[in-house]
Amino acid sequence: LGTAITVVQFDRRSCRPCATASHDNGAGGKSTLQNGPGATTTTAFPAWPQRTDRRDLEAALQAFQHTVTSVPLKASASSEGWREWSDGGFAAHKFIASKLTRFTYVPVLSCLRDLIVNCQRNFPDLYAVLKFVPKKNGLNPLLALLEDGQADAVRLETLRPREVRRRLDDLLRALEQSWLLFNCYLTLPNAALREDMLWAARTVVEKVKTDQRTRAIELLCLVLYFRGARA
């Protein structure tokens, strides 16, 4: 039997509840949004689980990779639900980034690996671009070790502080860039826009230098192609 979860959405400026999202974690894959009294709409975007313990990084990582990669492409054809899903994803990413340390490096790296693996299966067009993100951030050798079951080989506890900082920065950049690409691609309303966005994104991911790549992807995904910018 599924467990019903209710998430209250807040207006960013007034901090007042503006919508309620209900999600059944059972066999159903749809969320219900209640926008004011008597106004109920259904969306194919999965709702973000409500976190009862903000210290539970493991649960947050599992929810992040599942809720990001389980979106059906048809979900974005509707004007409903995408903004709540997008806002929830940014909040989840912010929480994960705030918990990234030398001691949480391996589970966060594993989450990135799961995102990429599930993307290859569910969104092959997006994967054709996303696969370059870990490569350009120097993470492919570490992901290969994880894939071979050598998690101990990627731990940071024994590394020098400068090397630890570099590894953390590389992972933080890769996770942020991956989420930006997922968010933009999965919320665009049609295949033509998604194809156009991916063409531009591949050039940015492959050609822009490391210290400028995240900002370039932000401009691409949050300004040029962000669905909210077209509203």
Side-chain angles (χ1 to χ4, degrees):
L1 295 177
T3 302
I5 297 176
T6 300
V7 180
V8 178
Q9 306 290 341
F10 289 86
D11 182 89
R12 288 177 172 177
R13 287 173 290 186
S14 67
C15 294
R16 296 176 180 175
C18 59
T20 301
S22 298
H23 177 55
D24 186 351
N25 284 337
K30 292 186 177 182
S31 303
T32 300
L33 302 176
Q34 185 170 352
N35 299 300
T40 300
T41 57
T42 300
T43 174
F45 280 97
W48 290 91
Q50 188 176 38
R51 289 198 307 273
T52 57
D53 185 353
R54 294 188 62 84
R55 298 169 298 178
D56 192 351
L57 178 62
E58 181 179 357
L61 292 171
Q62 292 176 352
F64 186 70
Q65 68 90 9
H66 173 73
T67 309
V68 169
T69 60
S70 64
V71 177
L73 281 180
K74 65 180 181 180
S76 60
S78 169
S79 62
E80 304 293 342
W82 71 267
R83 190 178 292 277
E84 290 79 9
W85 178 85
S86 177
D87 288 349
F90 277 106
H93 170 264
K94 182 179 180 180
F95 171 76
I96 293 169
S98 71
K99 298 298 182 182
L100 180 59
T101 68
R102 68 169 67 199
F103 303 108
T104 61
Y105 179 82
V106 174
V108 176
L109 184 65
S110 299
C111 177
L112 178 64
R113 178 201 58 190
D114 293 342
L115 284 171
I116 295 170
V117 170
N118 289 333
C119 180
Q120 183 178 19
R121 181 175 63 247
N122 298 338
F123 316 113
D125 291 341
L126 175 60
Y127 173 76
V129 175
L130 189 69
K131 66 182 180 181
F132 291 101
V133 170
K135 176 183 178 181
K136 291 295 183 177
N137 286 287
L139 297 177
N140 273 1
L142 302 175
L143 291 173
L145 290 172
L146 272 185
E147 196 65 28
D148 290 339
Q150 303 182 51
D152 289 341
V154 302
R155 295 188 181 279
L156 306 185
E157 287 86 346
T158 60
L159 299 181
R160 295 180 179 180
R162 180 177 296 181
E163 181 65 15
V164 169
R165 185 70 267 162
R166 186 180 68 81
R167 292 275 187 94
L168 292 175
D169 287 345
D170 290 344
L171 179 54
L172 195 61
R173 280 197 310 270
L175 190 65
E176 181 177 4
Q177 293 166 13
S178 298
W179 161 243
L180 288 169
L181 292 170
F182 268 111
N183 177 69
C184 187
Y185 179 79
L186 292 174
T187 56
L188 286 173
N190 59 62
L193 282 173
R194 289 194 291 268
E195 182 180 357
D196 196 25
M197 171 262 176
L198 289 178
W199 181 86
R202 180 158 186 166
T203 301
V204 170
V205 172
E206 289 193 68
K207 302 300 183 182
V208 176
K209 294 181 179 179
T210 299
D211 60 342
Q212 301 170 353
R213 190 179 305 119
T214 296
R215 180 57 57 87
I217 295 176
E218 285 177 346
L219 290 172
L220 183 77
C221 295
L222 298 180
V223 179
L224 295 177
Y225 286 96
F226 180 55
R227 185 169 182 171
R230 300 169 178 268

